């Protein structure tokens, strides 16, 4: 096991402002995806720990945290943002080791976490209610109030970014958070708890418990003291989370991934498009909910786009996260097996791999590497064009005209993000309106979008919006007050 920046012991839970052993004292192994070695031991949080965390969060709401004004909450988030910025190199190293993403991508995630805290810190005192014109003799108004204790279940692919967007917005609105990071990667969540304590966030406002999804995660979703759930992860677990929330009649935000397309029309500026077409597929080894895993190209330029993308694929460098190349390993042997399973389906059904990047000779043998693969042409009905692979695999699909492009783009179970490449402004607008998804990028592709841009899906990609100012409405509830004064 190597020594880790920012973390003393990694095998504790953070509850009520204190580090302590989990109730069962059991731990789980965290592997380094770059070489398969043991990276750290983490606590195996249990239902008893979740209960303690929810109580600590409620105590914070009833105590110091609940008494802070919106301005004071905003300042607390700003202080935390500053700590994150100061620690961003160490946070990036932790995330790179833990998730396997190249260091510069991990550094970008640390900067995004700082920016989320800055954005939501600045917004905390700018969320207002309304006065409503009503009957004679009345004044009616609305108040925006916190839900109470909010549960945050975060996956392993972008821990810092997802913590920033959900915990940042929830704290800004005055909720107290219980965060359950993923069992595959949770070190930056633990470091974040440490930085929050150092920044003076009142005890209990943020509680962090690693653990297994079916244990700690399920206990959090079922706890009667939780008033709102934010979940990012798989469709299957998202459905369980929503079912659990239904039993307690609480709201839930689900962000469940996608099969997002980029549409390339014949008039597109290809030189501008190409880096986006490829990067949005291979960033974080394709383990991105908003990965552009489908590239739709107008038939007259299909071969040209495929050849130019293939050239980029051949130049991709794959290796250990700290070597900071283009593509790192996948998170786990299991995830690598999923990708290899899909590549076997591709081979068996006769799909052509027009380009495959080689795994670098320096990549450690025990790491969970997969070869980035570009497949073309692929029919839009094929499993590889329909199912989320969560690996560095892109399919290229030809289309005939605008209507065909829209039909193919909307023709999966998902609806998260889309990109449109065209010089025709009217067409871009028509298509943006016709696409069934949560975000559309025209002549760019934001791979999840900026901090300021509301984000979330339709259909199997989930519901509810995080990021941007919109998230502050999701993480609060509206109370109407009607005063009769005659
Ligand atoms: P997952 O849904 O199993 O895990 C995500 C989070 O949910 C983790 O924190 C996990 O501990 C927790 N969890 C698991 N079971 C739970 C339960 N019963 N109750 C409450 N919480 C639970 O995702 P995964 O197994 O890590 O990945 C599987 C697939 O999910 C991937 O291949 C990918 O398709 C998708 N995925 C999507 C995203 C995204 O950003 N949308 C992120 C990760 C994974």
């Amino acid at each position: 096991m190597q020594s880790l920046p920012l973390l003393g012991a990694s095998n504790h839970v953070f509850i009520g402002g204190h580090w302590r052993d989990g109730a069962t004292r059991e731990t789980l192994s965290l592997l380094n995806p770059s070489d398969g070695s043991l990276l750290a031991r983490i606590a195996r949080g249990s239902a008893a720990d979740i209960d303690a965390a929810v109580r600590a969060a409620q105590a914070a709401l009833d105590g110091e945290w609940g008494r802070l004004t919106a301005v004071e909450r905003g300042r607390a988030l700003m202080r935390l943002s500053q700590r994150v910025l100061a620690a961003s190199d160490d946070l990036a190293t932790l995330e790179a080791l833990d998730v396997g993403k190249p260091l510069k991508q991990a550094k970008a995630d640390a900067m995004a976490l700082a920016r989320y805290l800055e954005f939501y810190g600045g917004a905390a005192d700018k969320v207002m209610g309304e006065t409503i014109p009503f009957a004679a003799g009345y004044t009616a108004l609305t108040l925006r109030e916190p839900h109470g204790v909010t549960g945050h279940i975060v996956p392993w692919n972008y821990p810092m970014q997802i913590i920033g967007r959900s915990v940042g917005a929830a704290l800004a609105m005055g909720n107290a958070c219980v965060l359950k990071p993923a069992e595959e990667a949770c070190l930056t969540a633990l470091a974040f708890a440490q930085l929050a304590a150092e920044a003076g966030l009142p005890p209990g406002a943020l509680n962090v418990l690693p653990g297994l999804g079916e244990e700690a995660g399920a206990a959090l979703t079922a706890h009667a003291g939780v008033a709102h759930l934010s979940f990012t992860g798989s469709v299957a677990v998202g459905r369980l989370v929503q079912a659990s929330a239904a039993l307690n009649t609480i709201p839930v935000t689900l962000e469940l991934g996608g099969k997002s397309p980029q549409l390339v029309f014949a008039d597109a500026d290809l030189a501008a498009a190409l880096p986006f077409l490829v990067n949005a597929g291979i960033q974080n080894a394709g383990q991105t909910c908003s990965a552009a895993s489908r590239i739709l190209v107008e038939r007259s330029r299909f071969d040209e786009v495929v050849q130019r993308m293939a050239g980029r694929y051949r130049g991709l460098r794959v290796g250990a996260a700290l070597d900071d190349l283009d593509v790192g390993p996948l998170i786990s042997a299991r995830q690598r097996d999923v990708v290899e399973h899909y590549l076997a389906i591709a081979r068996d059904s006769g799909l052509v791999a027009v380009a495959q990047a080689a795994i670098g000779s320096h990549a450690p043998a025990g790491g969970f590497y997969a070869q980035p693969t570009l497949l073309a042409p692929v029919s839009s009905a094929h499993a590889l064009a329909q199912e989320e692979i969560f690996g560095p695999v892109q399919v290229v699909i030809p289309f005939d005209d605008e209507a065909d492009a829209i039909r193919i783009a909307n023709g999966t179970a998902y609806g998260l993000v889309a990109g449109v490449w065209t010089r025709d402004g009217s067409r871009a607008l028509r298509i943006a309106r016709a696409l069934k998804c949560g975000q559309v990028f025209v002549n760019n592709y934001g791979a999840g979008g900026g901090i300021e841009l509301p984000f979330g899906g339709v259909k199997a990609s989930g519901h509810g919006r995080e990021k941007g100012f919109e998230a502050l409405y999701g993480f609060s509830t509206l109370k109407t007050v009607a005063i009769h004064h005659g």
Side-chain angles (χ1 to χ4, degrees):
M1 261 189 327
Q2 52 199 114
S3 71
L4 299 167
L6 294 174
L7 293 173
S10 61
N11 61 342
H12 289 151
V13 296
F14 184 75
I15 297 177
H18 301 289
W19 293 103
R20 50 159 110 155
D21 284 326
T24 66
R25 293 178 178 256
E26 286 181 46
T27 58
L28 302 166
S29 302
L30 207 61
L31 300 185
N32 178 343
S34 290
D35 60 14
S37 66
L38 181 66
L39 183 60
R41 296 204 68 83
I42 54 164
R44 179 174 177 168
S46 63
D49 297 313
I50 290 290
D51 186 52
V54 173
R55 287 171 194 276
Q58 188 57 53
L61 290 168
D62 298 336
E64 184 187 350
W65 175 243
R67 283 195 293 272
L68 292 191
T69 62
V71 179
E72 290 166 332
R73 287 199 306 272
R75 287 183 182 146
L77 287 177
M78 291 292 195
R79 283 197 302 275
L80 182 49
S81 173
Q82 290 298 318
R83 306 280 314 190
V84 167
L85 266 186
S88 59
D89 285 338
D90 284 343
L91 285 167
T93 302
L94 269 186
E95 195 88 313
L97 286 169
D98 204 3
V99 179
K101 63 177 67 185
L103 200 51
K104 58 181 162 315
Q105 293 180 27
K107 182 68 193 269
D109 290 357
M111 302 308 281
L113 171 57
R115 172 72 186 126
Y116 275 117
L117 297 167
E118 180 187 54
F119 180 86
Y120 288 121
D125 61 350
K126 295 168 190 69
V127 184
M128 296 174 203
E130 296 176 322
T131 53
I132 302 168
F134 191 51
Y138 280 86
T139 296
L141 54 94
T142 58
L143 302 170
R144 280 263 158 212
E145 298 185 338
H147 291 292
V149 178
T150 50
H152 305 257
I153 298 178
V154 165
W156 41 262
N157 55 347
Y158 288 85
M160 282 195 281
Q161 289 220 33
I162 297 170
I163 290 168
R165 76 183 192 211
S166 76
V167 171
L171 289 175
M173 293 311 294
N175 301 282
C177 303
V178 178
L179 165 62
K180 209 299 284 173
E183 51 270 48
E184 295 89 348
C186 58
L187 295 179
T188 51
L190 296 169
F192 181 65
Q194 180 63 33
L195 294 172
E198 290 170 14
L201 199 72
L206 171 68
N207 306 275
V208 182
L209 296 90
L212 296 175
E214 58 273 29
E215 294 177 0
L220 180 57
T221 66
H223 200 292
V226 173
H228 178 282
L229 287 166
S230 161
F231 173 82
T232 303
S234 62
V235 176
V237 176
R239 290 186 178 131
L240 293 177
V241 171
Q242 180 156 356
S244 197
L247 294 178
N248 288 326
T249 42
I250 59 169
V252 54
T253 303
L254 297 181
E255 204 278 90
L256 309 178
K259 193 72 185 173
S260 296
Q262 292 199 58
L263 285 58
V264 185
F265 284 87
D267 68 344
D269 178 348
L270 269 197
L274 269 161
F276 289 89
L277 298 182
V278 175
N279 289 349
I282 54 93
Q283 178 180 309
N284 203 27
Q287 303 164 117
T288 304
C289 47
S290 54
S293 48
R294 295 187 295 154
I295 304 298
L296 281 47
V297 185
E298 191 162 358
R299 213 174 278 279
S300 62
R301 294 193 82 179
F302 186 80
D303 290 342
E304 182 188 357
V305 171
V306 168
Q307 286 318 316
R308 290 176 73 172
M309 286 184 73
R312 287 187 163 258
Y313 260 75
R314 289 187 201 102
L316 291 175
R317 298 159 309 153
V318 182
L322 294 187
D323 288 347
D324 206 12
L325 305 176
D326 304 308
V327 182
L330 297 169
I331 186 71
S332 61
R334 189 187 73 159
Q335 195 64 30
R336 184 193 50 199
D337 291 347
V338 169
V339 173
E340 285 179 354
H341 163 74
Y342 276 106
L343 291 179
I345 294 178
R347 270 193 305 277
D348 293 348
S349 55
L351 293 187
V352 179
V354 284
Q356 251 190 334
I359 296 168
S361 56
H362 294 295
F368 310 131
Y369 299 94
Q371 280 183 271
T373 303
L374 183 69
L375 297 159
V378 178
S379 131
S380 72
H382 194 284
L384 272 87
Q386 288 290 322
E387 296 169 23
E388 186 180 47
I389 300 173
F390 236 55
V393 180
Q394 286 179 295
V395 298
V396 196
I397 305 169
F399 67 81
D400 292 320
D401 54 24
E402 209 174 295
D404 197 32
I406 292 167
R407 182 186 59 76
I408 296 171
N410 288 339
T412 74
Y414 295 100
L416 191 56
V417 174
V420 183
W421 294 90
T422 178
R423 286 189 167 95
D424 181 338
S426 303
R427 169 155 65 194
L429 265 176
R430 270 195 307 276
I431 292 179
R433 296 184 77 114
L435 290 172
K436 294 188 169 38
C437 62
Q439 268 190 339
V440 179
F441 294 95
V442 177
N443 294 332
N444 74 99
Y445 192 87
I451 278 87
E452 304 82 355
L453 309 180
F455 177 73
V458 300
K459 304 196 288 183
S461 293
H463 51 75
R465 295 292 177 265
E466 292 188 345
K467 301 189 178 184
F469 208 84
E470 189 69 24
L472 299 166
Y473 301 127
F475 281 109
S476 59
T477 182
L478 197 75
K479 181 185 282 173
T480 305
V481 182
I483 306 152
H484 184 234
H485 40 67

